[in-house]
Amino acid sequence: MTENASPWLAPQPATPRTTSAAPRRIPAMAGRFRFFCLVTAVSATLAIVASVPANAYSPSDPIVQAMVARGIAYLESLEAKEANQGSYSEPGSAMLIAYAHYKIEADPEKPIVRRGVSHAKKYLQVLEQRPVPTGETKAIYEISVAALLLAQIDPIAYKPQLQQAQRLLYAEQFSGGGWGYKGEKNGDISQTQYALLALWTLDHVGIPLDYARVKRAAEWLIRVQDISGGWPYHGVDPGPGAPLARQTKISMSMALAGGSSLLIAGDALRVWGNTKDGDGNDIEGLPKALVVYREETDRRRPKMSKEPILRSIALCEQYRERNPYKRPGGLDWYYYQLYTLERYESFIEIATGKAEKSPAWYNQVVEELRADQDPETGGWGVVRRSHTGGSVSTAFALLFLIRSTQKSIDTIGRGTLAGGRELPGDTTEIRVEGTQIKGRPAAEAVTDLLNILDEDGGDRLEGKSLPDDLKLAPDPAERKAQLDRLERLVRGSQSWQARRVAARVLGSSDEPRVVPALIYALSDPDTVVRKYARDGLRFISRKFDGFDMPDKPTSEEVREAQAAWRGWYRTIDPTHVFVEFGP
């Protein structure tokens, strides 16, 4: 099998990389590596010389946002036939492009997104009707990206398709634990990372996960790690209990893919504690419905120690230090690797509990992408060609720039409501007594309202409107708890009614601390939520003219308003880190 026979998402060539440039790793990496060494008893001392770019970037930086806007414009300018470039399949390219576009614009009606959704639904339906063919098909990648796209847009409406995707991925998992080309013996690290990412995503949008499969995949990844600390393209399994063997086709992209896959599996098994774990009592204000939903799966989750995972990641970090990556002169898999890098680093942040606003690895790649963005079209992989072509390269670059994985983890950590929750239309005078809903003065209704959101029967209520004088609790501790719960709803609820209530109440709270949540809500898919968020920001800031965001803004007007409000909020709290970029 040749590299050119690889699927539309595939590893870089395995040629060893050397560079005379300063290593990519950063000073903070030494501390992180010591963390792993302490946990896993790996004894090593690293001398790290790092070159940190002069600019400190983040996804909300105006320079990054301008790059993203030009990249989006490039994707939107492509006709369907242009988006399907090179040897990549039309469904795969269309779905990945739609996913990147929606992660930024959050507009399901855009033609580029609708095209991707149509391909995803048709593709999954076809695969359920006929088996995945033997040979180097793109099925695992395309099933996985279809799941990512549909789960991002509407996990409730597309639940049947998401269940299809899960069944297909289960059916294609190798007995050893990995995924790969049908008919082959050895699992493929590149395909395994996308299968695990898709299953992790499905788990967090309410599709129950078979955790035993995830554990089997994690154990396989540990066994097929190369003795150098990297991972191969195809892993030859030495068997349980055997020492690490020397593998072939080791590369930086596969080291990142293997490491991120193992970290994803660890997070799914909750070996770090949680991003969304246990009975939910450690997440203040997490709706009870979500907790009840997860109780049975929690009991079925097999135990796995974090030490073997951390030991493997420590070895991977050693490999990265010894083999700094440098782009080759010809075609490469650079943009594919960037998305993998962002995923790896984001899950490292979960494992270590440490995150930086502007990490040096991000800064360095932003500088590289600034240099490589085509000045005429705004795309990547257009002038300096890559195996992934202009459209897919641009989608990968955009997912990197917005810190796509970090956004997903952050949303989950805020208590996203799996399964969607309906909110009563009439919240004017409500309280809860057992299973009955009764009246109460509006000024006392916020906690009862939040409790109704937590109850299974909340979606049966009917009514007319929110009261104008709905007030938060005067007690500081109770008020803080209410605000926490409302912020989680406006950021994470899949119910548009719930987000409307949360935006309305937060906007009338006169609390500067809720400004970031309202800025986030400016890009909500629901126009009423956006209006409540805008008016709330104007009230809290006393800037009653706001920043000229209309009732029905364009995507560009939303981005401009968010950037302006972020700038204003930094005058109040210069230390605040805006981790999100759009919804």
Side-chain angles (χ1 to χ4, degrees):
M1 176 168 45
T2 66
E3 291 281 350
N4 291 332
S6 300
W8 65 281
L9 301 174
Q12 65 184 45
T15 306
R17 309 297 183 202
T18 59
T19 177
S20 58
R24 187 201 66 86
R25 310 307 296 150
I26 62 177
M29 189 65 247
R32 193 170 76 192
F33 183 72
R34 284 194 294 273
F35 166 83
F36 286 125
C37 293
L38 178 64
V39 173
T40 63
V42 177
S43 177
T45 302
L46 298 178
I48 302 172
V49 179
S51 176
V52 181
N55 293 315
Y57 298 105
S58 70
S60 61
D61 185 281
I63 292 176
V64 175
Q65 291 190 30
M67 294 167 65
V68 169
R70 295 188 64 229
I72 285 290
Y74 166 73
L75 291 181
E76 291 179 344
S77 72
L78 299 175
E79 299 293 337
K81 61 182 180 180
E82 294 176 310
N84 179 28
Q85 298 174 352
S87 60
Y88 311 118
S89 76
E90 184 176 356
S93 298
M95 289 186 287
L96 183 70
I97 293 166
Y99 179 63
H101 192 287
Y102 187 83
K103 289 280 279 190
I104 297 164
E105 296 289 327
D107 187 349
E109 298 305 315
K110 286 282 189 178
I112 196 171
V113 177
R114 294 176 66 178
R115 185 165 64 237
V117 169
S118 176
H119 276 296
K121 293 166 65 178
K122 290 177 183 177
Y123 187 80
L124 293 172
Q125 183 178 13
V126 167
L127 282 186
E128 277 235 309
Q129 294 172 352
R130 69 173 185 229
V132 174
T134 300
E136 292 189 3
T137 69
K138 306 168 180 65
I140 299 302
Y141 300 104
E142 292 173 338
I143 294 167
S144 300
V145 177
L148 294 176
L149 173 61
L150 299 179
Q152 181 70 30
I153 293 177
D154 193 336
I156 307 306
Y158 297 125
K159 186 173 182 178
Q161 288 82 10
L162 297 177
Q163 291 172 325
Q164 279 182 325
Q166 187 188 67
R167 288 194 297 270
L168 289 166
L169 289 174
Y170 284 172
E172 296 305 312
Q173 187 177 17
F174 289 6
S175 60
W179 281 262
Y181 297 114
K182 193 160 189 171
E184 291 193 352
K185 178 181 178 181
N186 298 320
D188 181 323
I189 300 297
S190 179
Q191 295 181 55
T192 297
Q193 69 167 323
Y194 276 86
L196 283 173
L197 179 62
L199 292 174
W200 177 88
T201 300
L202 294 177
D203 183 34
H204 286 295
V205 297
I207 309 296
L209 179 61
D210 183 346
Y211 296 99
R213 291 178 176 272
V214 176
K215 184 180 180 183
R216 192 160 76 243
E219 292 171 339
W220 175 78
L221 285 162
I222 291 171
R223 293 196 302 271
V224 301
Q225 186 177 22
D226 184 67
I227 194 170
S228 69
W231 267 273
Y233 185 5
H234 293 113
V236 178
D237 191 346
L244 293 182
R246 191 165 296 283
Q247 306 278 345
T248 60
K249 288 192 174 182
I250 313 302
S251 66
M252 181 59 74
S253 64
M254 289 302 96
L256 294 168
S260 65
S261 299
L262 190 53
L263 290 164
I264 290 168
D267 186 71
L269 295 169
R270 312 303 192 262
V271 300
W272 324 125
N274 73 89
T275 27
K276 180 170 142 184
D277 190 20
D279 61 5
N281 291 331
D282 55 334
I283 305 177
E284 183 180 9
L286 187 68
K288 296 174 186 176
L290 179 60
V291 175
V292 171
Y293 180 81
R294 295 196 61 81
E295 280 181 350
E296 291 186 7
T297 58
D298 285 342
R299 287 197 292 269
R300 291 191 289 105
R301 186 182 296 115
K303 299 296 182 182
M304 183 171 184
S305 171
K306 65 184 177 183
E307 277 71 26
I309 297 177
L310 293 176
R311 187 159 49 243
S312 289
I313 298 302
L315 290 174
C316 182
E317 288 297 305
Q318 287 181 310
Y319 172 83
R320 296 179 71 197
E321 294 295 342
R322 291 192 296 261
N323 300 275
Y325 175 76
K326 182 181 180 181
R327 291 187 70 176
L331 292 177
D332 58 15
W333 298 99
Y334 174 71
Y335 298 101
Y336 159 88
Q337 180 174 308
L338 289 188
Y339 183 37
T340 307
L341 170 65
E342 190 274 329
R343 183 160 55 251
Y344 177 90
E345 295 285 2
S346 294
F347 278 99
I348 283 282
E349 291 174 356
I350 292 296
T352 63
K354 298 177 181 179
E356 297 179 69
K357 176 183 178 181
S358 183
W361 59 266
Y362 182 80
N363 292 332
Q364 177 174 327
V365 174
V366 170
E367 293 282 8
E368 293 173 2
L369 290 176
R370 288 184 70 185
D372 287 343
Q373 188 169 23
D374 181 22
E376 182 177 346
T377 66
W380 284 274
V382 177
V383 176
R384 184 173 182 179
R385 306 292 293 176
S386 175
H387 283 300
T388 45
S391 58
V392 172
S393 296
T394 300
F396 281 140
L398 291 172
L399 290 168
F400 176 91
L401 288 171
I402 66 170
R403 293 295 312 271
S404 173
T405 308
Q406 185 192 61
K407 284 181 60 179
S408 298
I409 293 171
D410 181 65
T411 299
I412 288 164
R414 295 180 185 277
T416 301
L417 294 176
R421 302 293 302 159
E422 293 299 323
L423 183 77
D426 183 3
T427 56
T428 54
E429 294 183 355
I430 52 177
R431 75 179 189 272
V432 183
E433 287 186 7
T435 59
Q436 296 184 355
I437 309 300
K438 298 185 178 182
R440 172 174 291 192
E444 303 174 18
V446 170
T447 297
D448 286 336
L449 173 63
L450 290 166
N451 288 338
I452 289 175
L453 290 174
D454 292 346
E455 297 295 332
D456 291 335
D459 59 347
R460 294 195 296 268
L461 296 175
E462 297 179 357
K464 301 177 181 178
S465 65
L466 281 173
D468 291 333
D469 59 345
L470 193 64
K471 294 181 175 63
L472 294 161
D475 176 73
E478 185 178 354
R479 184 182 183 89
K480 179 181 181 300
Q482 290 176 343
L483 289 172
D484 287 343
R485 296 170 75 179
L486 288 164
E487 286 184 276
R488 289 187 175 92
L489 286 173
V490 81
R491 289 177 180 270
S493 178
Q494 294 167 357
S495 164
W496 55 266
Q497 297 113 314
R499 299 196 308 276
R500 284 183 181 183
V501 171
R504 172 84 173 270
V505 179
L506 289 172
S508 64
S509 68
D510 208 16
E511 292 272 359
R513 58 158 279 189
V514 307
V515 165
L518 292 175
I519 294 173
Y520 182 89
L522 288 176
S523 55
D524 194 278
D526 183 72
T527 57
V528 177
V529 175
R530 294 200 298 263
K531 183 176 181 296
Y532 282 148
R534 179 202 64 186
D535 294 346
L537 289 167
R538 290 174 173 177
F539 172 68
I540 293 170
S541 68
R542 303 301 190 264
K543 290 181 173 290
F544 296 108
D545 292 332
F547 290 102
D548 298 324
M549 178 173 154
D551 287 346
K552 294 183 178 181
T554 65
S555 297
E556 181 62 29
E557 287 171 331
V558 169
R559 285 197 298 268
E560 290 175 354
Q562 287 182 311
W565 281 115
R566 289 187 187 109
W568 172 80
Y569 188 67
R570 289 192 184 98
T571 66
I572 297 175
D573 181 5
T575 65
H576 184 79
V577 177
F578 288 95
V579 298
E580 60 270 327
F581 184 93

